[in-house]
Amino acid sequence: MFDLNPRQVLGRILSASLVGLSVSVTSLISLEVVPKAVLADPPAASVNTKVNVPSTMRYSPFNTNRYLKVPPKFSISVYTRIPKARFMAVAPNGDLLVSQPSTGKVLIVRPNGSKDPIISNFVVGLRRPHDIVFHKIDSTTYVYISETHQINRFTYTYGDRIAKNRQIVVTGLPDSSTSELKGAYGHELKNIALDGNHKLYVSIASTCNACVSDTVSNPKRGAIYQYNANGTNRRLFAQGLRNAEGLAFLPNTNDLWVTGNNRDNIKYPFKDNTGNYGKLIPSYVDNHPPEVFTRVRDGGNYGWPFCNSNPDTSSGLNNMPLDRDYQFNSDGHVNCYAMDKISKGIQAHSAPLGLTFLQNTNFLGSYSNGVVVGLHGSWNRQKKTGYKVAYFPWNSTTKAPGNQIDLVSGWLIPGTEQFWGKPVDMAVDKQGNLFISDDYSGTIYKLSYTP
């Protein structure tokens, strides 16, 4: 805890005793001894570090040396290669489950000493499986796995290598097979979370960039629904969230937080002297609207597709006011003042996906009161952004994320606009390593503290 040597500590204690014995050692420590650095944010990514790659995994893009920027005293390595790896979960025994929507599988990755991890099928034959959540109810541990059209749960016994006792708890979720959509559903992959009261939350993302039809469908799309853990008692929990990908509860609370991909190709919404009203202006599109990182309240409406967060005020990316969307609300028939503000914006078009709280994990202590977000990377921007793992220190007083810093970056090559990886999700193992999935290069990385 201290930056002082024992003699300095003793000196301070003796000095305090001369002032008055009523000053307790506890007060002395809290007021004088704890260095200011304890209260500061942890170091951001600053060290260009060669990615350690086992010889068996040195095929593209690792057929040449690759470097990622990480914080001081960290190393990063390739843990395993899994094509199009998406969301992950660490099992109670330390195995890593990885979804592979492209093959209909969830894979299990098991450590194998100094050799390459052993990869096998945990469950196969699913319809684009995506999110994976372990959840215990009474004495039974379940692993919930989402498909595009339904949510499954399997009972889990410590060390299981194959999914067993499948129960389909939610059916009838909209996907590309839904008749009214005629095979078109831009964001049909489903994400899920469970809270401390054993309520299940399912994100039903939009079918489109922006459209009114999703707001009047049954079930609504661009929304989050709540169920009992067994899939009963469906109800609308929140709406106006175009594509909520990362769903997670702040540890030790029932506060639901989500990351989300906001709309693209937004038209200029202001009748000002620029003459740009209603036009598609690339410089405006570049930074509007910011991506979503927000607490979601029961009954909340976050504006999509009628209202868009404005980052250009004194509040910056925090609790941004909402502007009317030119295409769907230019006349103001939807009251943007009545919509819920986004807690924290992220640079527009970064494409945030996985959301992982680090509290209650073994990740390095100075980072443990924070949250990481996988920024998959942009397409609808003149200069690319994202392609990194972002870290937000957590403010326990405001119960909100602080200013974003980079935890891992370098998949986007500066100056060239080329990229060789796209991070998706993160998970922490029992040893405190952070796994990072990358569906572009087909890689699971391991970020480790190596003082």
Side-chain angles (χ1 to χ4, degrees):
M1 291 177 61
F2 309 114
D3 281 346
L4 305 176
N5 64 39
R7 179 172 294 180
Q8 290 173 310
V9 174
L10 180 59
R12 291 201 176 193
I13 293 173
L14 291 174
S15 298
S17 69
L18 296 176
V19 175
L21 293 176
S22 61
V23 179
S24 68
V25 175
T26 301
S27 298
L28 180 65
I29 291 173
S30 64
L31 294 175
E32 294 189 25
V33 179
V34 176
K36 290 182 180 180
V38 170
L39 303 177
D41 294 340
S46 61
V47 182
N48 209 34
T49 304
K50 183 179 177 180
V51 180
N52 183 27
V53 186
S55 59
T56 54
M57 304 180 195
R58 291 178 186 164
Y59 49 92
S60 183
F62 301 104
N63 49 352
T64 186
N65 290 337
R66 296 291 181 178
Y67 293 82
L68 290 169
K69 193 171 286 188
V70 300
K73 300 182 181 180
F74 278 84
S75 65
I76 191 160
S77 60
V78 171
Y79 179 62
T80 193
R81 304 295 302 275
I82 295 177
K84 299 183 179 179
R86 290 287 287 185
F87 275 71
M88 302 181 292
V90 175
N93 75 323
D95 290 340
L96 182 68
L97 297 189
V98 182
S99 69
Q100 199 180 37
S102 59
T103 64
K105 297 178 179 180
V106 170
L107 303 173
I108 186 167
V109 184
R110 175 160 287 187
N112 189 28
S114 60
K115 300 178 181 179
D116 292 350
I118 299 170
I119 303 173
S120 58
N121 295 331
F122 184 72
V123 60
V124 301
L126 303 179
R127 189 185 296 180
R128 302 192 74 192
H130 201 222
D131 212 355
I132 309 164
V133 177
F134 283 89
H135 186 75
K136 190 172 184 179
I137 302 175
D138 298 325
S139 60
T140 303
T141 298
Y142 295 98
V143 54
Y144 284 74
I145 298 175
S146 66
E147 296 181 79
T148 59
H149 66 308
Q150 63 189 23
I151 310 298
N152 311 277
R153 72 178 182 185
F154 305 83
T155 58
Y156 177 84
T157 302
Y158 193 91
D160 277 353
R161 297 190 181 200
I162 298 174
K164 62 184 182 183
N165 301 325
R166 178 182 183 179
Q167 303 172 29
I168 301 173
V169 295
V170 175
T171 61
L173 297 174
D175 70 357
S176 56
S177 70
T178 302
S179 58
E180 69 179 91
L181 299 176
K182 300 177 181 179
Y185 196 151
H187 311 110
E188 67 174 351
L189 300 180
K190 301 298 187 289
N191 284 78
I192 56 177
L194 288 106
D195 69 14
N197 295 320
H198 309 309
K199 299 294 185 181
L200 168 66
Y201 298 78
V202 180
S203 171
I204 301 177
S206 71
T207 62
C208 58
N209 173 39
C211 56
V212 175
S213 57
D214 282 354
T215 69
V216 295
S217 58
N218 185 20
K220 288 189 176 184
R221 301 182 286 263
I224 295 174
Y225 280 79
Q226 183 197 75
Y227 302 78
N228 292 333
N230 63 4
T232 58
N233 292 336
R234 185 191 81 175
R235 70 179 185 90
L236 179 65
F237 183 76
Q239 58 188 306
L241 292 162
R242 176 178 175 265
N243 183 12
E245 284 269 358
L247 277 68
F249 284 90
L250 175 65
N252 305 318
T253 76
N254 283 323
D255 294 343
L256 178 63
W257 285 78
V258 307
T259 55
N261 294 191
N262 227 326
R263 66 160 299 169
D264 299 303
N265 289 323
I266 184 174
K267 293 186 176 180
Y268 192 78
F270 303 117
K271 294 180 179 179
D272 55 22
N273 59 10
T274 64
N276 290 331
Y277 181 64
K279 296 179 181 178
L280 197 64
I281 307 298
S283 60
Y284 184 77
V285 170
D286 280 353
N287 300 310
H288 299 84
E291 306 285 42
V292 172
F293 179 21
T294 194
R295 182 179 180 272
V296 179
R297 71 173 182 89
D298 194 347
N301 189 328
Y302 296 84
W304 179 89
F306 305 107
C307 307
N308 301 295
S309 298
N310 182 350
D312 304 323
T313 69
S314 59
S315 62
L317 292 170
N318 299 307
N319 298 306
M320 298 166 284
L322 292 158
D323 297 327
R324 298 176 186 174
D325 186 271
Y326 170 81
Q327 288 176 269
F328 299 103
N329 193 28
S330 59
D331 61 358
H333 69 277
V334 174
N335 181 9
C336 291
Y337 292 105
M339 299 291 108
D340 291 80
K341 295 180 179 179
I342 299 301
S343 304
K344 172 72 73 173
I346 296 174
Q347 169 62 53
H349 314 299
S350 297
L353 297 181
L355 170 66
T356 303
F357 285 98
L358 300 176
Q359 297 90 335
N360 295 352
T361 74
N362 290 327
F363 196 63
L364 179 65
S366 58
Y367 295 86
S368 63
N369 189 36
V371 59
V372 284
V373 177
L375 303 184
H376 199 232
S378 63
W379 67 267
N380 186 219
R381 198 168 190 273
Q382 294 178 98
K383 185 176 181 180
K384 288 186 173 67
T385 191
Y387 307 92
K388 64 179 69 173
V389 175
Y391 174 86
F392 295 84
W394 200 258
N395 187 319
S396 299
T397 301
T398 61
K399 297 182 179 179
N403 293 328
Q404 175 184 329
I405 63 175
D406 290 352
L407 184 67
V408 184
S409 63
W411 287 284
L412 178 65
I413 301 172
T416 68
E417 293 289 285
Q418 295 179 330
F419 58 88
W420 56 272
K422 294 169 73 73
V424 177
D425 193 27
M426 297 72 48
V428 182
D429 70 8
K430 290 184 174 183
Q431 290 72 43
N433 302 298
L434 184 74
F435 292 120
I436 303 166
S437 62
D438 170 358
D439 65 351
Y440 184 80
S441 70
T443 305
I444 306 294
Y445 304 90
K446 185 168 71 172
L447 178 70
S448 305
Y449 182 62
T450 52

